[in-house]
Amino acid sequence: VFFSFFRCFLFGVYFSFLASLLSSQIVGKAAGLSFCFAGVTSFLNVPLTKFAVQTQQGDFFIPNLLYTSMLLPCMVLSWYLGRVITKEELVKARLADEKERD
């Protein structure tokens, strides 16, 4: 039950945020690209699990390190996206103030 609610909110928030960032012509393409990347990443589980079980005697340190290192670009991208959104809001506010003065 909780997982169902989680999925509902996850996709609702994801697609709402995606639509607020991108134009309506490319939201579908961006969603497809992100889901494709997520699928490819998920397929990495099979060879990484096989590697950890067969060659590392069940030690998942290297697969976990790989997945953890994949988080770094996501964090940098999130930080950059936050900066861009903040700058965009400041420019919009400045333009609105200039429009009110005129």
Side-chain angles (χ1 to χ4, degrees):
V1 173
F2 292 116
F3 184 72
S4 299
F5 282 119
F6 163 74
R7 298 289 282 193
C8 290
F9 288 113
L10 171 73
F11 289 113
V13 170
Y14 174 75
F15 284 109
S16 297
F17 185 67
L18 196 61
S20 70
L21 287 178
L22 304 172
S23 69
S24 60
Q25 292 96 5
I26 61 171
V27 169
K29 293 175 185 174
L33 185 63
S34 70
F35 284 120
C36 179
F37 181 72
V40 169
T41 305
S42 295
F43 277 128
L44 284 176
N45 279 329
V46 175
L48 285 175
T49 302
K50 191 174 182 179
F51 166 76
V53 171
Q54 291 180 351
T55 63
Q56 301 295 316
Q57 290 77 35
D59 183 15
F60 282 85
F61 177 75
I62 293 175
N64 288 339
L65 184 64
L66 177 69
Y67 277 123
T68 303
S69 67
M70 290 170 63
L71 287 174
L72 183 63
C74 294
M75 291 187 299
V76 171
L77 183 62
S78 297
W79 171 77
Y80 177 74
L81 187 60
R83 284 190 56 201
V84 168
I85 290 171
T86 303
K87 285 182 181 179
E88 182 181 353
E89 288 173 354
L90 290 173
V91 168
K92 285 181 181 178
R94 188 173 359 132
L95 290 174
D97 286 345
E98 290 176 2
K99 197 179 240 187
E100 286 178 6
R101 289 183 198 156
D102 294 337

